[in-house]
Amino acid sequence: MTIIDELREAVVEGQQKAAVASVEKGLAEGIDAGTLLREGLIAAMAQVGQLYEEGEIFVPEMLVAARAMNGALGVLKPRLVEQGVEAAGKVAIGTVQGDLHDIGKNLVAMMLEGSGFEIMDLGVDVPAAKFVQAIREGANVVAMSALLTTTMTNMQAIIEAIREAGLRDQARIIIGGAPITKTYADEIGADGYAVDASGAVRLVREVLAA
Ligand code: B1M
């Protein structure tokens, strides 16, 4: 079994200590942080999602898998951000109101930080007022994440609140998350949509250059 296999297995089984140990071992053996992230952690969460859909595991197992992933991500983070340079923009990122999923949002935040952007992490279950406040505090990009079809609709309300506060021209608004599509982004008047964390980095550069 390779280190990557061990890492995937540890996350799927929710063994945080083993996941952290596999990441440390992988880094010590010279495996690239991005490879550990993509082939280990992200692949493991895709497997967790599939097991949940097939009724093989339930919410508590998803939760412990997520904890294991977050623990391992904490070890990877310094490596992922170490190529960071001066802040190229200030991004306020959060998971929208009603939604507690934060793994994808954290990954996007890390990749952006590693690409030189200053991050205001607003956390999860973020109401419109907090996004509005972040723009007042200087964010020039708002990045919203939603993982549930029931919460993605809050994105439109948040954009509306930003417009009502007279701040729509002061920040680019971008969105992402598993149920989000480009069509949806266009429909609700967002400035862009990214499918994953590296796409989000490209998108932030694009919207700031536009
Ligand atoms: Co939840 N959950 N969950 N869950 N959960 C999903 C999302 C689900 C698809 C599972 C399923 O049914 N197959 C389903 C949603 C169905 C739907 O709405 N269509 C679901 C459900 C139903 C629920 C609950 C309602 C379950 C319940 O209680 N009955 C509940 C809701 C709680 C709430 O939020 N109010 C719930 C709870 C949970 C846990 C707490 C147990 C846990 C979250 C823990 C945490 O985040 N700290 C959890 C998990 C782990 C998942 C799955 C298994 C994995 C999500 C994940 O972390 N993926 C998920 C199934 C799946 O996705 N296959 C599922 C890995 C992550 C790296 O990917 O988040 O997609 P993702 O992020 C990607 C991209 O989407 C993109 O980049 C990221 C990196 O590549 N991206 C952005 C994300 N945000 C972006 C923002 C951007 C740009 C790109 O800004 C510009």
Side-chain angles (χ1 to χ4, degrees):
M1 199 190 259
T2 66
I3 294 176
I4 301 267
D5 292 335
E6 280 171 19
L7 176 56
R8 263 198 312 266
E9 191 175 295
V11 172
V12 172
E13 291 180 1
Q15 295 168 355
Q16 190 182 48
K17 277 189 186 156
V20 167
S22 295
V23 166
E24 284 168 345
K25 193 164 140 196
L27 290 172
E29 294 200 5
I31 303 177
D32 167 61
T35 304
L36 289 166
L37 175 67
R38 283 187 306 276
E39 295 177 21
L41 300 182
I42 294 181
M45 290 316 287
Q47 202 175 326
V48 168
Q50 195 176 340
L51 289 170
Y52 178 76
E53 279 165 33
E54 289 166 355
E56 295 288 327
I57 62 166
F58 301 95
V59 173
E61 287 93 342
M62 274 209 291
L63 199 49
V64 288
R67 280 199 195 123
M69 166 138 182
N70 273 325
L73 260 184
V75 181
L76 270 187
K77 182 175 174 179
R79 299 296 183 104
L80 292 168
V81 302
E82 74 189 3
Q83 71 267 36
V85 282
E86 77 198 75
K90 196 166 180 181
V91 183
I93 185 165
T95 305
V96 300
Q97 190 155 30
D99 200 321
L100 303 175
H101 294 85
D102 67 355
I103 295 173
K105 183 266 296 169
N106 292 344
L107 266 175
V108 172
M110 270 180 218
M111 294 289 286
L112 287 170
E113 196 179 353
S115 306
F117 297 99
E118 186 180 339
I119 300 299
M120 297 168 80
D121 191 341
L122 307 179
V124 296
D125 193 16
V126 182
K130 267 198 173 182
F131 284 105
V132 168
Q133 184 58 26
I135 301 174
R136 292 206 170 103
E137 287 170 13
N140 49 5
V141 177
V142 164
M144 292 189 258
S145 177
L147 264 285
L148 300 171
T149 44
T150 48
T151 57
M152 60 189 267
T153 48
N154 292 336
M155 290 173 157
Q156 184 162 17
I158 292 167
I159 294 177
E160 203 40 55
I162 291 170
R163 190 170 284 123
E164 277 170 15
L167 298 169
R168 184 65 187 91
D169 293 340
Q170 289 185 34
R172 305 291 89 207
I173 301 176
I174 61 172
I175 64 173
I180 309 300
T181 58
K182 167 138 188 4
T183 311
Y184 184 67
D186 292 343
E187 238 175 70
I188 66 170
D191 296 308
Y193 150 77
V195 71
D196 57 19
S198 47
V201 172
R202 274 195 306 276
L203 179 62
V204 169
R205 289 198 182 112
E206 274 168 31
V207 295
L208 284 177

